[in-house]
């Protein structure tokens, strides 16, 4: 799913010389002001010293400095759980860092609308360069192909049955289908 795709992007970026700052948000993080920025600042080796995570300008300055040493990828997984202050800081960060070798990779699940996340997503491709990729559930044929790769010795009929079962039980969500 989204996290696996993002992990591949991060691995490729690392091979291309990017330095990575990553955070995986959790539902409890929504109640911690600047929680995601703090985790990025304190959990990364990008910065000589952790920037003032509660000051988006200082954080942008620290990222700007980090970009002097080469390209940077900032990965925020499960962005639907970002706190309001981190959401508010993303817009200025995207604007202030435009033109620098920094790539933001945000992963989130579809679900109830989150106006703050929707506002960030709407800016991508319009106000800031980038692309929004929406992953759809796997259809039955894709599930069959996945099952065939995992179980090459199974008969075609057995794979068809498994694909139907996976389709019914997982709604095509790759994480569930692979478990």
């Amino acid at each position: 799913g989204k996290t696996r795709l993002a992990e591949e992007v991060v691995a490729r970026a690392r091979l291309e010389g990017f330095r990575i700052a990553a955070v995986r948000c959790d539902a409890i993080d929504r109640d911690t002001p600047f929680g995601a920025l703090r985790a990025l600042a304190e959990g990364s080796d990008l910065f000589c010293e952790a920037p003032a995570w509660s000051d988006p300008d200082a954080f942008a300055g620290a990222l700007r400095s980090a970009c002097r040493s080469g390209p940077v990828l900032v990965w925020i997984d499960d962005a639907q759980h970002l706190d309001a202050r981190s959401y508010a800081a993303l817009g200025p960060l995207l604007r202030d860092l435009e033109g620098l070798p920094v790539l933001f990779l945000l992963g989130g699940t579809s679900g109830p609308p989150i106006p703050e996340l929707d506002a960030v997503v709407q800016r991508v491709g319009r106000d800031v360069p980038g692309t929004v990729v929406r992953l759809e559930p796997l259809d039955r044929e894709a599930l069959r192909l996945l099952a065939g790769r995992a179980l090459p010795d199974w008969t075609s009929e057995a794979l068809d049955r498994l694909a139907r079962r996976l389709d019914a039980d997982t709604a095509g969500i790759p994480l569930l289908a692979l478990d």
Side-chain angles (χ1 to χ4, degrees), residues 31-162:
D31 298 328
T32 307
F34 295 109
L37 293 185
R38 180 180 184 177
L40 282 168
E42 294 176 353
S44 171
D45 61 357
L46 288 181
F47 312 109
C48 296
E49 57 186 63
W53 45 266
S54 61
D55 178 357
D57 291 333
F59 194 81
L63 274 174
R64 197 176 293 109
S65 294
C67 288
R68 288 189 197 122
S69 301
V72 171
L73 185 146
V74 177
W75 174 26
I76 302 174
D77 197 19
D78 290 326
Q80 73 275 10
H81 297 307
L82 272 172
D83 61 280
R85 294 244 175 132
S86 292
Y87 274 125
L90 275 178
L93 277 174
L94 294 172
R95 180 195 63 229
D96 294 346
L97 299 172
E98 187 174 349
L100 293 175
V102 61
L103 171 68
F104 283 86
L105 176 61
L106 278 70
T109 60
S110 59
I114 301 169
E116 301 93 342
L117 181 57
D118 294 342
V120 171
V121 169
Q122 288 171 1
R123 294 189 62 200
V124 175
R126 184 186 72 200
D127 300 335
V128 294
T131 302
V132 174
V133 177
R134 297 187 192 281
L135 300 179
E136 299 296 326
L138 300 175
D139 62 17
R140 190 173 292 169
E141 186 55 37
L143 289 166
R144 188 189 187 292
L145 182 63
L146 189 63
R149 288 185 179 163
L151 305 163
D153 296 332
W154 280 36
T155 67
S156 181
E157 183 179 298
L159 290 172
D160 288 339
R161 279 195 314 273
L162 179 59

